[in-house]
Amino acid sequence: MGKYEKLIEKILLGKSYQNIDFNDLLNLLLNLGFEQRIKGSHHIVFKEGIDEIINI
């Protein structure tokens, strides 16, 4: 199982979701096809076809 699969499993099982490294989460989302826009310290992640945005 690769790094991203382990991270997805950790998130879905609710294991230590508060301890996920910012860069790991951001790279996972980008790897899943999301795009990123940065406004100041806010990283806004979005994907065509998904109405909600993620602001981290």
Side-chain angles (χ1 to χ4, degrees):
M1 185 181 305
K3 179 179 180 177
Y4 293 125
E5 288 86 5
K6 288 179 184 177
L7 183 56
I8 290 171
E9 181 180 15
K10 186 177 180 180
I11 292 169
L12 293 177
L13 293 176
K15 295 181 179 178
S16 303
Y17 63 90
Q18 293 176 337
N19 295 324
I20 296 173
D21 183 72
F22 174 82
N23 289 324
D24 287 344
L25 178 60
L26 184 58
N27 287 330
L28 171 65
L29 292 170
L30 295 175
N31 207 307
L32 291 173
F34 284 79
E35 297 179 47
Q36 173 184 210
R37 183 176 78 228
I38 301 172
K39 269 188 148 176
S41 63
H42 296 265
H43 292 253
I44 300 166
V45 186
F46 57 94
K47 185 173 182 179
E48 187 174 324
I50 299 178
D51 293 334
E52 298 294 324
I53 62 169
I54 301 171
N55 183 359
I56 52 177

